[in-house]
């Protein structure tokens, strides 16, 4: 018998609301008001010269996901070297992953379980995403 039960996708509205409020509170405690923008379900924080996106979304019946991400650069369709480099980098970064959006924009993101999210975890994720984006904007420019 399994001790760890498999996830069942479900939306936990009360947990989703609680985590969004907690994320907003952590951001307000840690950043100036002018550095935080809030759109429907998305927070954008200007930090260290980067626009960091933070979203809270359903994951499974007992938790939600907090995703911290930022855009690095739009890649050219023909730039196969850059695409291969990104795949190699994914095996080297300790937290998070590189990805491509529908329009070939290179992004870096890091996701955290939200139920027990604390302020230090969120801030570390924001700092990591900003640092990685700054490093690789220079590399891919």
């Amino acid at each position: 018998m399994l001790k760890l039960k498999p996830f069942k996708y479900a939306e936990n509205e009360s947990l989703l609301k609680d985590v969004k409020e907690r994320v907003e509170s952590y951001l307000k405690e840690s950043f100036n008001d002018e550095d935080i923008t809030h759109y429907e379900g998305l927070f954008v924080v200007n930090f260290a010269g980067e626009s960091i996106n933070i979203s809270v979304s359903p994951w499974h019946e007992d938790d939600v996901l907090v995703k911290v991400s930022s855009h690095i650069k739009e890649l050219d369709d023909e730039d196969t070297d850059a695409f291969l480099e990104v795949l190699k980098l994914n095996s080297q970064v300790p937290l998070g992953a590189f990805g491509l959006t529908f329009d070939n924009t290179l992004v870096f993101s890091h996701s955290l379980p939200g139920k027990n999210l604390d302020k230090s975890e969120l801030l570390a994720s924001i700092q990591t995403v900003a640092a990685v984006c700054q490093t690789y904007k220079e590399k891919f420019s």
Side-chain angles (χ1 to χ4, degrees), residues 6-18:
F7 291 149
K8 290 182 182 173
Y9 178 81
E11 200 166 310
N12 186 329
E13 288 293 330
S14 64
L15 183 58
L16 200 58
K17 182 178 185 253
D18 174 59

Side-chain angles (χ1 to χ4, degrees), residues 74-138:
E74 191 172 319
L75 297 177
D76 209 4
D77 281 336
E78 289 81 37
D79 197 355
T80 55
D81 289 341
F83 290 113
L84 289 173
E85 180 71 16
V86 168
L87 287 173
K88 290 176 186 175
L89 288 171
N90 270 336
S91 69
Q92 298 170 5
V93 292
L95 296 172
F98 292 93
L100 292 172
T101 63
F102 68 94
D103 63 353
N104 286 344
T105 300
L106 177 62
V107 297
F108 185 78
S109 64
H110 180 238
S111 295
L112 300 158
K115 184 177 183 178
N116 297 312
L117 181 73
D118 67 28
K119 184 177 168 182
S120 66
E121 291 172 320
L122 178 62
L123 296 180
S125 184
I126 291 169
Q127 290 171 312
T128 299
V129 169
V132 169
C133 288
Q134 286 177 333
T135 300
Y136 290 100
K137 270 186 183 171
E138 293 171 14

Side-chain angles (χ1 to χ4, degrees), residues 21 64-66 96-97 110 116-117:
E21 289 171 356
V64 297
L65 273 182
V66 177
H110 180 238
N116 297 312
L117 181 73

Side-chain angles (χ1 to χ4, degrees), residues 27-80:
L27 294 175
K28 285 182 176 183
E29 291 172 15
S30 306
F31 298 95
N32 295 323
D33 288 343
E34 62 268 12
D35 293 326
I36 305 168
T37 306
H38 183 234
Y39 301 107
E40 288 182 24
L42 177 70
F43 299 94
V44 180
V45 177
N46 294 317
F47 174 69
E50 302 296 327
S51 291
I52 309 295
N53 303 312
I54 301 147
S55 62
V56 180
S57 57
W59 183 19
H60 61 86
E61 60 191 343
D62 295 323
D63 213 340
V64 297
L65 273 182
V66 177
K67 183 177 179 182
V68 180
S69 64
S70 188
H71 295 245
I72 297 174
K73 179 186 187 239
E74 191 172 319
L75 297 177
D76 209 4
D77 281 336
E78 289 81 37
D79 197 355
T80 55

